Amino acid sequence: MPKREITKNSKITVYSVDSVEPEVAELIEQAKLAASQAYAPYSNFQVGAAVKLKSGKIVLGNNQENAAYPSGLCAERVACFSAKAQFPEESIDMIAIVAKQASAEGYTLATPCGSCRQSMSEYENIQEQPIKLYLLNAEGEVYESDSIDNLLPFKFSEKNLKSE
């Protein structure tokens, strides 16, 4: 069997935070604000997410930990679930995610966990348009993904539930 590329339509770009568009810079700043308010007494790892809706509204989320560890929730799902609960008819255009140790000054690259990737992918499916994702690293670089699918190429979706 010949080799074939299965991710040729994916696009992830890395560039300096100083060169982002103003709306992306604002979204990253909002994600930083959200991270600073995270409830992370067990891991001391603060994650913030800022979701920008089609209308321009921004909804924030941060990680919410719990002494019963599985009862906590990641920043990405807090933000997305909150956005869709408050504005169910609006599509999600973009999400910025930042993370840092509580005692650190700088941020570290932290990609969404599998549950968050699956949840965000569901919103792409529902709205039938990609969601741009922005991640900040410690060197002041921004990783831009033009779709959640880039992070979850073999996603589980409603197509898997249909019988033939």
Side-chain angles (χ1 to χ4, degrees), residues 7-129:
T7 59
K8 66 175 143 186
N9 293 328
S10 68
K11 182 180 174 192
I12 297 177
T13 309
V14 181
Y15 48 89
S16 170
V17 72
D18 298 330
S19 64
V20 298
E21 297 291 325
E23 72 175 336
V24 175
E26 174 61 22
L27 201 63
I28 291 170
E29 288 304 311
Q30 291 294 311
K32 288 179 180 180
L33 173 65
S36 73
Q37 299 168 344
Y39 180 66
Y42 307 105
S43 70
N44 291 309
F45 192 69
Q46 300 171 308
V47 182
V51 170
K52 184 171 184 189
L53 303 174
K54 189 72 145 179
S55 67
K57 292 180 184 94
I58 295 176
V59 179
L60 304 182
N62 48 37
N63 53 320
Q64 297 294 310
E65 295 181 351
N66 192 290
Y69 293 147
S71 298
L73 196 59
C74 300
E76 299 91 317
R77 283 181 285 157
V78 169
C80 288
F81 293 169
S82 181
K84 295 309 277 186
Q86 294 178 67
F87 309 103
E89 300 304 318
E90 290 203 40
S91 60
I92 297 172
D93 272 355
M94 55 183 75
I95 303 170
I97 302 166
V98 302
K100 68 186 227 40
Q101 289 294 330
S103 60
E105 289 294 318
Y107 294 85
T108 185
L109 181 65
T111 61
C113 73
S115 293
C116 288
R117 292 174 192 211
Q118 183 64 44
S119 295
M120 291 185 295
S121 176
E122 181 78 8
Y123 290 124
E124 275 193 345
N125 292 344
I126 292 168
Q127 64 191 34
E128 297 179 339
Q129 70 180 33

